[in-house]
Amino acid sequence: MIQLSKKVEYGLIALRHMAIHQQGQIFTAKELANIYDVPYELLAKVLQKLARTGTISSIQGVRGGYMLIKKPSELSISRIIRIIEGEKPMIAECYVDGPDSCSIFDNCSIRRPLGKVQRNLNVLFDKMTIQEIV
Amino acid sequence: MIQLSKKVEYGLIALRHMAIHQQGQIFTAKELANIYDVPYELLAKVLQKLARTGTISSIQGVRGGYMLIKKPSELSISRIIRIIEGEKPMIAECYVDGPDSCSIFDNCSIRRPLGKVQRNLNVLFDKMTIQEIV
DNA sequence: CATAAATACGACTCTAATGGTCTTATATCG
DNA sequence: CGATATAAGACCATTAGAGTCGTATTTATG
């Protein structure tokens, strides 16, 4: 089973929601959680991460919330995954940092198959943006 | 974190190994487990599944083992995943069987983002074959 | 200025899936 | 018969993931 985590799923849902609505509009975590029937706290954490990385801006206090500040076309799936999952939209660790991260990389025939799959997946997720899922 | 299971990883490793060697050659599970330093029992189970589905043939008894009987170019990653993981190389359940599997499919804006990701991933994994990772 | 409505953030629990092991049965070659 | 394979299922242990809770902080507004 190959799966994106719920966090990534919720992140994509939220970003998409913001993307299809008017630019500059503010959405609260609670609001989004209600609309999509998704656990509020979990979604909130995801939104906080996205906010910390400058993907969305957060406004605290009453009438606060979140607002998309990047263009949907600039937000690749790769990037979202990396933000939410922490640097690793990866299938095998070896391929994150290249040769140096694995001592036997050179003649590591083991991970070979995964490497190719990985690279293809990267190409796909790099190209795909929020724009496309609107 | 997006990840293929170890089973799939071992399956790909084994199939690739068979594919790069002479057609018709027999390999034992133990042999493969040693070469790639992978848990024998687990690999064995994967090979058994591949055998049951006609991807490789199994020969029991002394001097037995496994033999690739399909062309590497006919073995897509999708197919391998489906064989090993059981019908679901999927990101969100909704999209396995199409509309009927989800009651609110029509206006289910929730899973929308995943749907597109899913379709793209399917295209990628359908096109990629063992041939390519040799 | 008090209150309510938000975000921020970390600690915690629970569960299910995964990876791995063990045991037993069966087949087959010599 | 015995050695060496596959076949298959039961079993366990660990981990990651999903979700919850509590508390602090910020801020608009009556």
Side-chain angles (χ1 to χ4, degrees):
Chain A
M1 177 78 150
I2 184 165
Q3 237 183 210
L4 294 177
S5 69
K6 289 287 176 188
K7 286 185 197 171
V8 171
E9 176 171 349
Y10 299 157
L12 292 177
I13 289 172
L15 289 173
R16 172 177 171 273
H17 184 89
M18 297 186 187
I20 61 181
H21 287 83
Q22 217 175 353
Q23 205 70 356
Q25 199 171 338
I26 294 176
F27 303 91
T28 69
K30 189 178 286 182
E31 187 183 354
L32 293 170
N34 282 336
I35 296 175
Y36 295 103
D37 191 30
V38 142
Y40 163 72
E41 291 94 343
L42 203 47
L43 174 62
K45 274 198 276 194
V46 171
L47 291 169
Q48 285 161 26
K49 256 187 189 166
L50 290 169
R52 260 178 263 143
T53 54
T55 305
I56 58 181
S57 77
S58 71
I59 300 103
Q60 285 194 325
V62 180
R63 311 232 14 110
Y66 299 94
M67 189 174 63
L68 190 59
I69 55 177
K70 293 267 189 219
K71 285 188 208 155
S73 61
E74 287 171 359
L75 294 172
S76 68
I77 304 295
S78 277
R79 185 168 172 181
I80 309 299
I81 295 178
R82 247 179 290 121
I83 290 170
I84 296 175
E85 298 289 342
E87 308 303 333
K88 45 186 176 186
M90 294 296 138
I91 264 172
E93 314 74 39
C94 273
Y95 291 91
V96 181
D97 304 319
D100 291 346
S101 65
C102 179
S103 53
I104 57 164
F105 189 90
D106 281 337
N107 55 352
C108 171
S109 47
I110 302 182
R111 300 279 160 66
R112 259 293 208 23
L114 281 308
K116 191 67 194 301
V117 176
Q118 182 65 62
R119 277 185 293 276
N120 282 342
L121 198 61
N122 283 153
V123 170
L124 170 62
F125 282 171
D126 285 346
K127 273 192 311 194
M128 258 195 98
T129 70
I130 296 293
Q131 183 70 48
E132 291 177 55
I133 62 175
V134 165
Chain B
M1 178 76 150
I2 185 166
Q3 237 183 209
L4 293 179
S5 69
K6 289 286 176 190
K7 285 185 198 171
V8 171
E9 176 172 348
Y10 299 157
L12 292 178
I13 288 171
L15 288 173
R16 172 178 171 271
H17 184 88
M18 297 185 187
I20 62 181
H21 287 82
Q22 217 175 353
Q23 205 71 354
Q25 199 170 337
I26 295 176
F27 303 92
T28 69
K30 190 178 286 182
E31 188 183 352
L32 293 170
N34 282 336
I35 295 176
Y36 295 103
D37 192 29
V38 143
Y40 162 71
E41 291 93 344
L42 202 47
L43 174 62
K45 274 199 275 196
V46 171
L47 291 170
Q48 284 161 27
K49 257 188 188 167
L50 290 169
R52 261 178 263 143
T53 53
T55 305
I56 57 181
S57 76
S58 70
I59 300 102
Q60 286 194 327
V62 180
R63 310 236 13 113
Y66 299 94
M67 190 174 60
L68 190 59
I69 54 177
K70 293 266 190 219
K71 285 189 208 153
S73 62
E74 287 170 0
L75 294 172
S76 69
I77 304 295
S78 277
R79 185 169 172 180
I80 309 300
I81 295 178
R82 248 179 289 121
I83 290 171
I84 296 175
E85 297 290 340
E87 308 302 335
K88 47 188 174 184
M90 294 295 139
I91 263 172
E93 315 74 38
C94 274
Y95 291 91
V96 180
D97 304 318
D100 292 345
S101 64
C102 178
S103 52
I104 57 165
F105 189 90
D106 281 337
N107 54 353
C108 171
S109 47
I110 302 182
R111 299 280 161 65
R112 249 325 197 0
L114 281 308
K116 191 68 193 300
V117 176
Q118 181 64 61
R119 277 185 293 274
N120 282 342
L121 198 61
N122 283 154
V123 170
L124 170 61
F125 283 171
D126 284 347
K127 271 192 312 193
M128 258 196 97
T129 70
I130 295 293
Q131 182 70 50
E132 290 178 55
I133 63 175
V134 163

